[in-house]
Each structure stands twice: as structure tokens, then as C-alpha cells.
Amino acid sequence: MDREQLLYEGKAKKIFRTDDPEVVRVKYKDDATAFNGEKKGSISGKGELNNRISAFIFEYLGKQGIPHHFVRFLSPKEQLVKHVTILPVEVVVRNRAAGSIVKRLGLQEGQSFPRPVVEFYYKNDDLGDPLINEDHVAFLDLASQEQIRGMRQMALKVNRLLTALMIEKGVDLIDFKLEFGVDQEGKLLLADEISPDTCRFWDHQTGQKLDKDRFRRDLGEVEHAYQEIWNRLGGEKHV
Ligand code: TMP
Ligand code: ASP
């Protein structure tokens, strides 16, 4: 039955049709990839943890006024979300230097930026998701001017809200990636997932990495990092 309903399969999730054309079912996988799919693996328990963590964060952001696609939690690895058209743009917000910006600009890992740095990437596997600017987004027709403004504004608001949420749990939000979708009415909604796959989380006290960099860089204790983020958010008590 699942096979007939499958709409799309990505690296970390599968999207299925439901009886309601405006709602799809997302099933989170344990599969993990890095470096545009070059490195492949599996992180046991990741699907369930990311499903729970992402549901928790979207509910939190929704209560704080961020329009989003999340509808409801369905089962340990599944959630229902609004059927949206994903804009082919990844929006990254950085508070401190890590990952690609360290290499690109020759920075010191961990160095703070005076204000958040917003970046746009073209979601295109064949091109390896290149960094682009707002003029590129416009001429490639990836989003309208209004959508570009909306994405930037929402990304900065998510940064403020998520930084505040995580610091209460003793976690520093280093950077993260967002994706946006457009619903049937043309409304811009925060979409995809927000999880240790898509954020860099460092323990505030020790600086320990509690995210997918443990997989990307073979640091070990990968499952533990995802579990730790879920525990800090309140764990099983929430869902
Ligand atoms: P980067 O430093 O590799 O550019 O990553 C910036 C942030 O975006 C980091 O929190 C990880 C996240 N990210 C994704 O969610 N998906 C991706 O494909 C990449 C490259 C990064
Ligand atoms: N998930 C991405 C990929 O495999 C990369 C990453 O998260 O580092 O393309």
C-alpha cells in the first residue's frame, strides 16, 4: 500500500499521499548521507528522534507565530504535514563559524559573527547545492522578491526563537538550514524538518557537538547526540 502512495523519496525521508490532497504523510528514515550523498550510512534511532524533535520544534515555532507546514504527530517515525510545493532554495543562518563557511572564508571554527549571517543555496543535487545570492535566486526564478524577503525575515525570527529555546537547555545554536514551501493558497510556510540533521548544536558548557557533524566527521557517539537533544527538549514527556 505504501508503494502506491509514495510521492517522493529523499535522502532522509519518504513522503506519502493521504486521503486528503492537502495533507501528506512524512516517514523519517534512519539513513544518513553527507557531502551530497557521497558518504552513506545509517544512524539507528535517527528517524524516530528526528520525527519527534522536528515535531516539537515546529509546534514551538508555530506558537510563536511562525507559519509552518506541520499538522500533527502520527507515529514514532511519521508525521502529517501540509502538502506544499518546496521552493528550490535552502536558507542557512549562521551565528558562529562552522562547516562550509570555515573552509570557504578561512575562518576559525567557533568564532562568533557580530550579527547572524544568512545564506541561500540552490537546491540542485547535480550542481552540489551551490551557494547563491538573492540576485541569483531572482534570475533563476527560484522565488519571488516577496518570497525572498519572507524567507529571510522568517529565518532570522526562527534563529531568535530557536536560539532562546536551546540556550535554556544548555545548547548553543551554531547554525541551521531551513526550507520553505508554498501552499495551495500561495502562502509561504516553513517546511521540511528542523533536527540535528539540519542544525549544529553544541553543548554550552563543554562545546561537545550534538548533531550530524558526529556522522559527517566520524566523531563517534552519533546516536547519543540525537538522543541527547531529544532528552534536553523534554524527551518522552512531550509526545
Ligand atoms: P554547511 O556549513 O555545511 O554549509 O551547513 C550549514 C548548516 O546547514 C548546518 O547546520 C547543516 C545544514 N545542512 C543541511 O541541513 N543540509 C545540507 O545538505 C547541508 C550541506 C547543510
Ligand atoms: N544531507 C546532505 C547530503 O547528503 C549533506 C549534509 O547534511 O551534510 O547531501
Side-chain angles (χ1 to χ4, degrees):
M1 182 177 98
D2 265 7
R3 207 176 318 148
E4 284 156 37
Q5 298 174 324
L6 185 68
L7 271 176
Y8 174 79
E9 178 159 8
K11 298 188 190 97
K13 298 186 287 295
K14 288 182 182 178
I15 313 287
F16 298 95
R17 242 184 272 279
T18 69
D19 294 340
D20 181 347
E22 291 190 22
V23 174
V24 294
R25 173 167 56 96
V26 181
K27 186 165 189 180
Y28 280 70
K29 305 194 281 188
D30 287 349
D31 299 353
T33 64
F35 314 118
N36 204 16
E38 263 174 55
K39 180 181 170 103
K40 289 191 174 67
S42 174
I43 302 171
S44 120
K46 177 172 85 81
E48 180 168 345
L49 288 162
N50 278 359
N51 184 37
R52 292 186 188 282
I53 293 166
S54 197
F56 182 96
I57 292 176
F58 272 82
E59 279 187 341
Y60 162 76
L61 294 173
K63 284 186 201 136
Q64 308 290 328
I66 300 281
H68 62 69
H69 74 156
F70 180 72
V71 176
R72 70 180 171 86
F73 191 82
L74 195 60
S75 74
K77 286 190 176 188
E78 297 171 301
Q79 56 179 259
L80 295 179
V81 305
K82 282 190 194 147
H83 194 173
V84 296
T85 305
I86 296 284
L87 299 176
V89 180
E90 297 190 345
V91 183
V92 168
V93 181
R94 302 179 187 273
N95 297 305
R96 292 167 66 184
S100 66
I101 200 169
V102 166
K103 279 201 183 140
R104 187 179 307 115
L105 302 181
L107 306 179
Q108 189 87 32
E109 188 183 55
Q111 103 183 48
S112 294
F113 299 121
R115 56 196 173 92
V117 174
V118 178
E119 295 174 344
F120 294 91
Y121 290 84
Y122 181 14
K123 233 170 105 72
N124 182 318
D125 280 339
D126 293 338
L127 299 176
D129 296 350
L131 176 69
I132 53 177
N133 68 23
E134 295 185 18
D135 288 340
H136 297 127
V137 176
F139 91 70
L140 291 168
D141 215 12
L142 309 181
S144 69
Q145 288 302 320
E146 194 187 337
Q147 287 166 341
I148 297 172
R149 265 198 307 277
M151 288 192 288
R152 170 183 276 279
Q153 219 172 50
M154 252 196 265
L156 287 169
K157 185 165 179 197
V158 169
N159 186 43
R160 289 192 291 274
L161 293 168
L162 198 53
T163 296
L165 174 74
M166 297 314 292
I167 199 64
E168 265 181 47
K169 320 289 180 192
V171 174
D172 290 339
L173 178 64
I174 305 303
D175 61 29
F176 59 93
K177 182 265 302 179
L178 299 178
E179 295 188 27
F180 293 87
V182 179
D183 70 8
Q184 249 96 319
E185 283 86 50
K187 190 170 181 230
L188 183 69
L189 300 179
L190 182 63
D192 193 49
E193 70 176 287
I194 301 182
S195 72
D197 270 13
T198 66
C199 301
R200 286 196 173 91
F201 294 128
W202 293 1
D203 180 78
H204 182 69
Q205 294 296 336
T206 64
Q208 190 192 13
K209 294 181 182 6
L210 297 172
D211 56 60
K212 193 177 165 190
D213 268 352
R214 303 205 72 83
F215 169 79
R216 295 190 189 98
R217 295 161 67 167
D218 296 318
L219 301 175
E221 296 195 36
V222 185
E223 292 87 354
H224 167 264
Y226 286 73
Q227 183 65 57
E228 182 62 23
I229 291 297
W230 178 232
N231 293 348
R232 300 264 186 120
L233 289 174
E236 293 301 335
K237 286 196 291 289
H238 175 70
V239 192

